[in-house]
Amino acid sequence: MTERAAIEGRLVDADARFMLHARYGHFTAMQVRDRRVRGLELHFARLEAAGTELFGVPLDRAAVLGSIRAVLGDARDASVRVYVVETDRPHVIANAAPPHEAPTRPQSVKPVAYQRFLPHIKQASGMLQAHVGRLVRREGFDEALLTTEDGLISEGSITNLGGFAGGRLVWPDAPMLHGITMQLLERIDVPQERRPLKVADLPGFDQVFLCNSWGVWPVGRVDDVPLPQDDALMARLLDHYDRIAWDPLD
């Protein structure tokens, strides 16, 4: 027989069948405003590096831009993901959804002992970390903080974590995804370092924050422990982020 697939009793076409097989790959996520994105070259670099490692082939930048433009249509603002997945060969897939803004209120995080395989790659099949995020949200937390068994922090389930301590911007020194927004924040003109961080260290920080493609926002609580809030530090960080140039897609 020929290959067929059905969703809830309804036969689907070849494109839908293709998506069932397109599980091996990687992606990048971005916010589009006025058909521009922050850090476009960083997104290209992420896709290039992951594609070389997973598939051993160079990135087709024209296919990436063409897919983004196609999925945007006439829209000017959106949340966009670009996937590169392999079936018979690597394929570029983009999808667009309504734009997503960063939270404004301090968020709560719950440490979970879980480490991703190949954490430096933003993997297309993220079922386990999505499950971790769902578990903590059921307990009333906003985000999961991924740690080793002895509490060494790596990253959030969909975020990077950073913080200010003693006048320095501190990032965890652990295997993690080097997020695009994290890379953009590393360009701020303040002393910075990476060092091993444990959950017990966070109450000693002046300000802890999370970041991803949505933006940057403060962390107000880890487990049931409140964290210090420094409005001036957050304002400085957000001012740096807001000043980052947006790169045109057209």
Side-chain angles (χ1 to χ4, degrees):
M1 65 174 291
T2 58
E3 180 182 355
R4 290 180 291 184
I7 299 175
E8 297 182 345
R10 176 176 52 85
L11 287 174
V12 296
D13 63 15
D15 285 342
R17 294 197 302 273
F18 165 79
M19 297 299 290
L20 291 174
H21 297 293
R23 295 188 294 268
Y24 181 78
H26 59 96
F27 75 101
T28 194
M30 61 190 73
Q31 292 298 311
V32 177
R33 299 293 184 273
D34 197 26
R35 300 185 73 86
R36 295 171 178 265
V37 301
R38 287 186 175 103
L40 182 59
E41 280 299 320
L42 296 178
H43 287 286
F44 280 136
R46 163 186 281 172
L47 294 173
E48 182 78 50
T52 299
E53 181 172 345
L54 296 181
F55 313 130
V57 298
L59 177 69
D60 185 344
R61 290 194 174 200
V64 171
L65 283 175
S67 297
I68 295 173
R69 292 166 183 158
V71 80
L72 283 175
D74 294 331
R76 306 200 65 81
D77 300 337
S79 297
V80 171
R81 289 188 174 194
V82 178
Y83 295 85
V84 184
V85 294
E86 186 181 61
T87 53
D88 56 323
R89 61 175 176 81
H91 297 264
V92 176
I93 302 171
N95 78 289
H100 202 302
E101 301 294 340
T104 54
R105 64 173 179 82
Q107 301 284 282
S108 59
V109 298
K110 180 176 178 61
V112 177
Y114 173 72
Q115 297 289 283
R116 296 188 303 116
F117 180 64
L118 298 178
H120 59 289
I121 293 178
K122 197 170 180 69
Q123 301 158 29
S125 53
M127 181 267 183
L128 289 178
Q129 69 196 84
H131 177 64
V132 167
R134 284 171 178 254
L135 288 178
V136 301
R137 286 192 292 274
R138 289 173 190 166
E139 297 183 39
F141 292 88
D142 298 299
E143 168 67 314
L145 189 58
L146 307 185
T147 74
T148 59
E149 291 291 343
D150 61 353
L152 190 67
I153 297 168
S154 54
E155 57 192 342
S157 70
I158 58 169
T159 57
N160 285 115
L161 176 139
F164 288 93
R168 304 180 72 85
L169 175 52
V170 182
W171 303 97
D173 184 12
M176 68 172 81
L177 180 72
H178 195 192
I180 303 299
T181 301
M182 176 181 173
Q183 293 178 59
L184 294 171
L185 293 179
E186 287 175 330
R187 298 175 180 177
I188 191 172
D189 186 21
V190 299
Q192 298 182 44
E193 66 177 302
R194 289 195 186 191
R195 68 173 189 244
L197 293 178
K198 291 197 170 185
V199 173
D201 297 328
L202 298 183
F205 275 59
D206 300 310
Q207 180 70 60
V208 177
F209 63 87
L210 297 173
C211 60
N212 65 11
S213 65
W214 304 346
V216 189
W217 59 96
V219 178
R221 176 167 60 96
V222 56
D223 264 338
D224 294 324
V225 179
L227 299 181
Q229 301 295 296
D230 190 315
D231 293 340
L233 284 175
M234 279 304 303
R236 183 175 182 184
L237 192 64
L238 290 169
D239 180 69
H240 166 79
Y241 185 66
D242 289 341
R243 290 173 181 271
I244 294 169
W246 292 74
D247 304 313
L249 291 167
D250 297 315

